[in-house]
Amino acid sequence: ARKQLAAAMRAEDELKRQQASALKSAHKEETQTKDNLARLKGSIEQAHSEELRKLSQRHEQAIDAKDRENAVLTSQMKQVLQRYQQMQTALQREREKTKEVLLDTRNMAESSVQYTPEQDKEISKKAKFNVEELTVEEMHWLATRAYRGWLSHSYTETDEVCDALEAETRRL
């Protein structure tokens, strides 16, 4: 019985040693797992931080590109607006000139400005390519061109009829 008691005590001591070893091993494993988790968490945070930095950098580059594009479009819009305003001013000037031609037609018809055929060609060319350079008199000349031919022909016919009438009157 003593032998059995001594063997049981040794077995109990052995069991306690094994339990202590298993507990120590479990504690070591738990510590190792915690360390691994901490390292994993650190590498995840580092990867996250790196990805965030890259995304922020790409975002800033995209914003810079949009800002440059916006600046170019704004510049183009200002140029278009300036050109539009210039065209509006030129149009207004031409409207005033046309108005003057229309309102002053009678006076111009009475003043009877004459141009040579070469000057007429130059005026026509100017009207075709640089209408804004035409003077009021030149505009009147071009606007009444068709009527001048008709009027000249009518005067010629009238003169011929009057001459024939005079000749007939003298003959009688």
Side-chain angles (χ1 to χ4, degrees):
R2 275 189 191 184
K3 277 187 178 187
Q4 281 182 337
L5 187 59
M9 283 172 84
R10 275 195 304 259
E12 187 180 336
D13 285 343
E14 183 62 33
L15 186 59
K16 281 183 184 177
R17 232 186 344 243
Q18 284 177 358
Q19 278 181 337
S21 175
L23 190 58
K24 187 178 176 183
S25 178
H27 181 64
K28 185 178 178 182
E29 194 174 304
E30 183 181 342
T31 303
Q32 220 174 20
T33 301
K34 283 182 182 178
D35 289 346
N36 287 341
L37 285 175
R39 275 194 299 270
L40 181 60
K41 181 181 176 189
S43 67
I44 288 172
E45 285 175 353
Q46 184 180 4
H48 176 272
S49 193
E50 180 65 22
E51 187 65 25
L52 181 62
R53 186 188 65 74
K54 286 179 183 177
L55 284 172
S56 295
Q57 189 177 26
R58 283 194 297 255
H59 180 70
E60 287 297 321
Q61 289 171 348
I63 288 174
D64 289 345
K66 288 295 179 184
D67 285 346
R68 285 189 301 275
E69 182 181 345
N70 191 27
V72 167
L73 291 173
T74 300
S75 173
Q76 289 173 347
M77 185 179 285
K78 285 178 182 177
Q79 289 172 352
V80 167
L81 179 61
Q82 184 180 20
R83 183 72 178 134
Y84 171 76
Q85 289 169 340
Q86 289 170 350
M87 296 302 279
Q88 282 290 93
T89 302
L91 179 61
Q92 186 60 37
R93 206 171 34 245
E94 293 308 310
R95 284 181 175 160
E96 288 298 321
K97 198 183 290 185
T98 303
K99 179 181 171 185
E100 188 178 332
V101 167
L102 292 173
L103 294 177
D104 207 24
T105 300
R106 176 172 291 177
N107 295 339
M108 285 188 200
E110 290 172 3
S111 71
S112 172
V113 175
Q114 294 292 319
Y115 292 103
T116 65
E118 293 81 24
Q119 289 173 321
D120 183 60
K121 284 181 186 176
E122 285 298 314
I123 292 170
S124 295
K125 187 177 175 183
K126 194 189 297 186
K128 194 177 240 181
F129 298 109
N130 296 316
V131 73
E132 64 276 357
E133 293 179 11
L134 286 175
T135 65
V136 173
E137 292 80 13
E138 290 170 338
M139 287 179 71
H140 181 267
W141 177 260
L142 289 173
T144 59
R145 180 186 286 160
Y147 302 110
R148 280 192 315 277
W150 174 82
L151 194 57
S152 174
H153 181 68
S154 293
Y155 284 153
T156 303
E157 286 180 353
T158 303
D159 287 345
E160 288 173 2
V161 168
C162 286
D163 289 345
L165 181 62
E166 278 181 31
E168 187 65 30
T169 305
R170 272 185 265 152
R171 194 177 63 82
L172 295 177

